[in-house]
């Protein structure tokens, strides 16, 4: 591998801080990886405000929530890169925002300020458990086969997200899911991008995933394909162009004056809301833990015992991001599975995450430019990275049913339930039960048994 410094020259301060040479990476590679990750997750700038504005009735909710989303994502990614020094980006989590808006606020009639307080408390619990070593102890207790299954499951989940955003997989009232119209502009554009990007990867073109995103976006703009959000009544439209001065790519951010510091921690501590706090805590705990474990497996950070370096800092930064996001006025901020696209581009240090964080800060001013990247252009990246993450399944002992069935459930339940946390949970529960009933209970860590019981109790009594 080449280093970021000229041959024979001492490493730069940037190299020493992030360990670029030690990781076999370079500054251009890390910057490219960060840009790729940002492009694959920049949709959250628009989707998160759409989801949360339904439950947070403040003036100009969408504009304020867009700024809050960008700041929360920037903070989470920057602390992950600068303190934990991992290439993982963070932002308000999909699924968690829907639970916040539709289940807690609109369904349970909990004030949105109180719901933010519950998110903040769950973040405090994340940090405490991380600093005490509980989260890394749980990761170490998860058997090797399940860790590979978590990585593969995240791959299937990523691919499902990509296929869904491209309109290739759609809802079907009779069969739940079905094949979308392959002649629809978004579907065939995504398939074209998939083939082109795969071809570039086969040819070992540097930055193949990023080039694939940019080329596919350019094709959508030049061909005037209706694949961009913003049409009437939510319909897709052709790229409307950049309006206004300076090419229209600059837009003044709206400071979230009605959101910052509005969380109600006291109300969230009420006895009746402990269930909500626990659910926020549970879902993000296992979603983030599964995501971070799977990404670390893919990036080669886990040692032969399944341990990851700087684990306490890594997990603590996840909790700190959730706390900060709640203070800013958004639902749980967490590690993003789309970070796998940057890892696929060679990102191996915190400089990748720092790049993402800086781009989210710029996005507050350049957010019209982000609208030039349609979902159909990032879908191929998600599908390809998902395919690459399936590599580890060959390490699973498929001849041993006590290993293979829990691994299979872990993999298949992530896309089918649209939740990484559910896949990890059902894998752990089934692993414990099958080993115990099969007379091989001693092969399971006592900590894993305790975890399995907690997960089972959660599904029996606290499932919404």
């Amino acid at each position: 591998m080449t280093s970021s410094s000229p041959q024979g020259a001492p490493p730069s301060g940037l190299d020493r801080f992030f360990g670029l040479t030690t990781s076999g990476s370079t500054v251009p590679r890390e910057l490219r990886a960060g840009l790729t990750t940002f492009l694959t997750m920049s949709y959250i700038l628009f989707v998160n405000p759409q989801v949360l504005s339904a439950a947070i009735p403040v003036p100009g909710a969408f504009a304020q929530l867009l700024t809050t989303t960008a700041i929360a994502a920037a903070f989470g990614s920057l602390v992950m890169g600068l303190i934990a020094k991992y290439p993982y980006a963070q932002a308000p989590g999909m699924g968690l925002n829907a639970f916040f808006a539709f289940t807690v606020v609109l369904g349970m009639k909990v004030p949105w300020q109180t719901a933010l307080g519950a998110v903040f408390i769950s973040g405090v619990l994340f940090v405490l458990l991380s600093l005490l070593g509980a989260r890394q102890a749980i990761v170490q207790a998860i058997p090797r086969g399940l860790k590979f299954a978590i990585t593969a499951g995240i791959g299937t989940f990523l691919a499902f997200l990509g296929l869904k955003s491209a309109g290739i997989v759609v809802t079907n009232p009779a069969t739940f899911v079905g094949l979308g119209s392959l002649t629809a502009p978004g579907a065939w554009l995504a398939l074209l991008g998939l083939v082109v990007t795969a071809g570039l990867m086969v040819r070992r073109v540097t930055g193949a995933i990023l080039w694939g995103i940019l080329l596919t976006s350019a094709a959508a703009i030049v061909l005037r394909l209706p694949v961009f959000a913003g049409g009437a009544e939510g319909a897709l439209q052709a790229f409307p162009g950049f309006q206004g001065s300076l090419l229209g790519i600059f837009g003044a951010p709206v400071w979230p004056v009605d959101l910052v510091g509005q969380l109600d921690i006291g109300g969230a501590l009420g006895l009746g809301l402990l269930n909500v706090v626990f659910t926020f805590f549970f879902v993000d705990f296992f979603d983030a833990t599964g995501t971070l474990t799977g990404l670390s497996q893919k990036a080669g950070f886990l040692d032969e015992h399944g341990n990851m370096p700087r684990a306490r800092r890594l997990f603590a930064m996840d909790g700190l991001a959730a706390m900060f996001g709640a203070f800013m006025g958004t639902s749980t901020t967490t590690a993003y599975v789309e970070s796998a696209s940057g890892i696929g581009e060679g990102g191996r240090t915190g400089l990748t995450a720092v790049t993402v964080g800086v781009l989210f800060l710029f996005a507050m001013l350049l957010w019209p430019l982000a609208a030039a990247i349609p979902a159909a252009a990032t879908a191929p990246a998600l599908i390809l990275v998902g395919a690459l993450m399936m590599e580890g399944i060959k390490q699973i002992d498929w001849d041993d049913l006590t290993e293979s069935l829990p691994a299979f459930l872990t993999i298949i339940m992530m896309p089918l339930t649209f939740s990484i946390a559910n896949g990890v949970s059902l894998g752990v529960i089934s692993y414990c039960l099958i080993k115990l009933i099969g007379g091989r209970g001693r092969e399971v860590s006592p900590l894993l048994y305790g975890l399995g019981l907690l997960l089972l109790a959660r599904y029996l009594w606290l499932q919404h």
Side-chain angles (χ1 to χ4, degrees), residues 97-266:
N97 55 9
F99 174 76
F100 177 100
F102 300 110
T103 299
V104 177
V105 178
L106 298 178
M108 301 174 65
K109 308 301 181 184
V110 174
W112 62 268
Q113 298 92 335
T114 306
L116 288 175
V119 173
F120 183 88
I121 295 170
S122 68
V124 172
L125 292 175
F126 299 152
V127 174
L128 290 176
L129 287 176
S130 300
L131 295 179
L132 291 173
R135 290 184 76 172
Q136 50 267 43
I138 291 173
V139 171
Q140 292 171 12
I142 296 175
R144 185 170 180 268
L146 276 187
K147 287 177 180 173
F148 283 111
I150 290 171
T151 305
I154 292 174
T156 63
F157 185 66
L158 272 177
F160 185 72
L161 286 175
L163 293 167
K164 178 178 178 293
S165 65
I168 297 173
V169 172
V170 297
T171 57
N172 186 300
T175 60
F176 296 106
V177 295
L179 182 66
S181 172
L182 298 184
T183 59
W188 70 257
L189 179 67
L191 291 173
L192 176 64
L194 180 64
V195 172
V196 170
T197 307
L200 293 175
M201 292 181 71
V202 171
R203 290 179 173 271
R204 301 185 181 278
V205 173
T206 302
I209 295 176
L210 178 57
W211 278 114
I213 293 173
L214 296 178
L215 289 173
T216 307
S217 299
I221 294 172
V222 171
L223 298 176
R224 302 287 299 164
L225 298 178
V227 294
F228 293 87
E233 298 182 358
L236 296 175
Q237 61 178 350
F239 183 62
F242 298 116
Q243 307 298 321
S245 61
L246 293 176
L247 300 179
I249 63 174
F250 294 98
V254 177
W255 184 252
V257 292
D258 298 305
L259 300 174
V260 177
Q262 296 301 308
L263 68 171
D264 180 7
I265 299 175

Side-chain angles (χ1 to χ4, degrees), residues 330-415:
T330 184
S331 55
T332 308
T333 301
T334 187
Y336 253 58
V337 69
E338 284 85 351
S339 301
S341 62
I343 293 172
E345 278 293 339
R348 290 297 182 274
T349 76
L351 184 55
T352 294
V354 169
T355 302
V356 177
V358 171
L359 288 172
F360 268 113
L361 289 177
F362 275 117
M364 290 192 294
L365 297 173
L366 299 172
W367 58 267
L369 188 61
I373 309 293
T378 58
L382 297 178
I383 297 169
L384 271 170
V385 171
L388 295 175
M389 294 185 76
M390 295 297 292
E391 177 188 11
I393 62 172
K394 63 186 178 184
Q395 303 293 334
I396 299 170
D397 187 358
W398 293 103
D399 294 325
D400 183 350
L401 193 61
T402 67
E403 298 282 338
S404 62
L405 183 55
F408 173 76
L409 291 175
T410 300
I411 295 170
I412 200 67
M413 293 306 290
M414 287 189 192

Side-chain angles (χ1 to χ4, degrees), residues 16 134 212 306:
R16 289 193 300 271

